Amino acid sequence: LWLLSAGLIALDGFDFFIIGVALPFLKQDFGLNAAAVGAVATAAVAGSLVGSLTLGPITDRVGRQLMLIIDVAIFVIATAGTALAWNAASLIAFRFLVGVGIGADYPISVSYITENVPARVRGRMVIGAFTFQAVGALLGAVTGLIVIQVFRTLYPDTAQLAIQYAWRWMLGVGLLLAIAVALVRLSFSLESPRYYINRGDYDAASAAATQLLETPITLTPELEPPQSLARPTYGVLFNTNHRRSTLLASLPWFLQDIATYGVGIFTPVIIGMLAFAGEPDFMVREMGAAKGAAIVDIFLILGFIAAIVLVERWGRMRLQIIGFIGMAVGLTILAMSNLAPTGSLGEIGLVITGFLVFNLLMNMGPNATTFLLSGEVFPTAIRATGAGFAAAVAKAGAVLGTFVLPILQTRWGVVPMLLALALCCLTAALLTFRFRIETMGQSLETVQSTVEAEDVTPLTPR
């Protein structure tokens, strides 16, 4: 059950980082200007916004299991299209469809795992699945390294073949991974018992609970009453009972994704500009940038491991606030690297250190906790709707980060852009504190009862 959700999350991470390695090749192959580069990078993120916003409510209506299958089918078809794209327009279209699959998976996966694991390990299990985003990201960086090295070895005297075909190889590996995930999802079928309970289908809920717990279970309305009769509509998210949950789940995530996607997708590009600006050879420069990306991606995984260890000890709110502050520190260190001589060890050291701090604290805190909270703070009837809305708002931030940052980088320079992102992270820390809801160790039903009992407006400090 856990792997059903973890698989496509890994593909999200792979796609998220492999496009950063492939972008310099795509730029030269299709002759892309700055706006076109931003469009290619943003297409999947924009699709993710649409997928989260539209398919979240559908998941609450038709069930988690069916949408898991539909979602991975969308991803396989779209990934095949990206690897075979014939021009920039087709690539953008297929990457938009890839994003739809990724965006849909956020509410589907977090709802599926959250509703089927015990409260005492829920945080670790959800974050453990989301850890596969970092595993996929590292795999993307390594794939980029291997592909670049293969072309350097086979064609040492020209970069033209690498420019035309290396990015296709990189994206083609994503297709193979998508097919593997599809096979895993087709091999296992289990709907969430909570989903059936909320629909009043207690026979199906009993059968699902029996399969899940591997012991005979009989559920009745007296033992497990439906948690909420709310229809999965976006208007419900802003009534008195759910406003604080909606603001907590969406606003910090929005600001985080501006920084996460803006920096993450362009990690190889930023490393290449800051640490390898003086290297005239295209292939050598891109190889160095890909190596740097692979090194800093390791700290994404270490950050997630720290989150798994600490989430049930420190709680979601403390981790998220500390993480946002740490992200701001890492971005500031990156900005300071510009003070060192170009190409010096001091500059390279500051660049790597900045990325290490940023990636480690990001995944130890908000990149893990925002995903987790989106599945914990809403009732079952609107859980995928709420998680989908929060993810869509976050992807709006990601679109802003991936499309606008290349333009700002051209107009402002790298340093002002990084400092602006640091300010976003500090603002997110303040918003987390303002709307805080601690869910550690509580059942999903208890969390919702507590939030509703407080009956406060989102502008009233707790």
Side-chain angles (χ1 to χ4, degrees):
L1 180 151
W2 182 74
L3 283 173
L4 288 178
S5 296
L8 199 62
I9 292 173
L11 294 181
D12 176 16
F14 179 88
D15 180 80
F16 176 52
F17 276 84
I18 198 64
I19 195 63
V21 181
L23 268 176
F25 297 90
L26 280 163
K27 182 177 180 180
Q28 294 206 30
D29 191 18
F30 289 152
L32 305 178
N33 58 26
V37 169
V40 170
T42 308
V45 186
S48 184
L49 188 157
V50 173
S52 298
L53 199 60
T54 59
L55 299 184
I58 293 175
T59 300
D60 280 328
R61 289 187 173 94
V62 306
R64 287 67 165 123
Q65 175 62 28
L66 175 60
M67 289 305 298
L68 282 169
I69 303 301
I70 293 174
D71 186 35
V72 77
I74 292 172
F75 199 89
V76 169
I77 294 170
T79 305
T82 60
L84 300 173
W86 52 93
N87 57 24
S90 63
L91 179 67
I92 291 169
F94 282 119
R95 283 196 54 74
F96 179 85
L97 191 57
V98 166
V100 171
I102 290 173
D105 202 62
Y106 279 86
I108 298 169
S109 293
V110 75
S111 299
Y112 195 62
I113 303 175
T114 299
E115 292 175 1
N116 287 300
V117 299
R120 60 185 170 79
V121 295
R122 186 177 62 235
R124 292 173 183 167
M125 291 288 285
V126 174
I127 293 176
F130 202 57
T131 300
F132 275 70
Q133 185 188 64
V135 174
L138 180 60
L139 182 58
V142 171
T143 298
L145 271 175
I146 292 174
V147 171
I148 292 172
Q149 185 59 47
V150 166
F151 275 91
R152 287 187 66 194
T153 301
L154 295 179
Y155 309 103
D157 299 326
T158 178
Q160 190 57 39
L161 288 174
I163 290 170
Q164 292 178 334
Y165 297 106
W167 65 268
R168 295 185 185 274
W169 285 31
M170 296 175 193
L171 299 181
V173 172
L175 173 60
L176 298 179
L177 295 175
I179 293 172
V181 171
L183 294 175
V184 172
R185 288 197 172 183
L186 290 171
S187 68
F188 185 81
S189 177
L190 173 67
E191 184 53 84
S192 162
R194 275 189 171 94
Y195 169 76
Y196 286 130
I197 289 172
N198 214 68
R199 293 174 62 88
D201 190 347
Y202 283 88
D203 289 339
S206 299
T210 297
Q211 180 183 355
L212 176 65
L213 301 177
E214 298 182 335
T215 188
I217 300 292
T218 301
L219 300 173
T220 65
E222 292 74 26
L223 291 173
E224 295 283 350
Q227 184 183 346
S228 172
L229 298 178
R231 290 181 59 80
T233 62
Y234 289 116
V236 173
L237 299 178
F238 293 93
N239 67 24
T240 303
N241 291 335
H242 306 308
R243 274 181 300 191
R244 179 179 291 275
S245 298
T246 302
L247 292 171
L248 174 65
S250 57
L251 292 183
W253 202 355
F254 169 79
L255 292 170
Q256 180 223 316
D257 270 13
I258 292 177
T260 298
Y261 278 75
V263 173
I265 285 182
F266 296 102
T267 292
V269 177
I270 294 173
I271 290 177
M273 288 186 65
L274 292 177
F276 297 97
E279 176 54 59
D281 189 290
F282 172 78
M283 293 296 286
V284 172
R285 185 171 66 249
E286 296 310 317
M287 187 68 172
K291 286 181 179 179
I295 292 172
V296 299
D297 286 350
I298 293 174
F299 281 76
L300 292 173
I301 298 176
L302 294 179
F304 273 134
I305 292 173
I308 292 171
V309 172
L310 296 174
V311 70
E312 303 296 356
R313 298 180 184 180
W314 289 8
R316 284 66 160 151
M317 296 297 95
R318 185 187 298 181
L319 275 184
Q320 186 156 306
I321 292 170
I322 291 174
F324 274 128
I325 294 172
M327 290 170 67
V329 171
L331 289 166
T332 303
I333 294 173
L334 275 175
M336 290 172 57
S337 68
N338 194 57
L339 300 176
T342 302
S344 67
L345 290 178
E347 182 191 42
I348 295 174
L350 286 173
V351 169
I352 298 300
T353 300
F355 272 113
L356 296 187
V357 173
F358 179 84
N359 285 349
L360 180 65
L361 272 295
M362 175 182 70
N363 277 12
M364 188 190 83
N367 200 34
T369 54
T370 51
F371 178 71
L372 171 59
L373 286 168
S374 71
E376 290 185 324
V377 297
F378 298 104
T380 299
I382 59 170
R383 178 163 293 116
T385 301
F389 177 81
V393 172
K395 296 317 168 200
V399 170
L400 187 64
T402 53
F403 187 76
V404 175
L405 285 186
I407 299 173
L408 293 182
Q409 173 188 303
T410 302
R411 294 182 179 177
W412 294 359
V414 175
V415 174
M417 178 192 71
L418 292 173
L419 293 177
L421 292 178
L423 182 60
C424 285
C425 294
L426 293 177
T427 303
L430 291 174
L431 289 171
T432 299
F433 180 78
R434 186 65 177 272
F435 302 120
R436 62 194 184 277
I437 299 171
E438 185 53 70
T439 60
M440 180 176 63
Q442 301 183 58
S443 70
L444 297 177
E445 292 74 18
T446 301
V447 170
Q448 188 56 36
S449 298
T450 301
V451 172
E452 292 181 2
E454 290 179 353
D455 193 25
V456 293
T457 67
L459 297 180
T460 302
R462 298 188 68 185

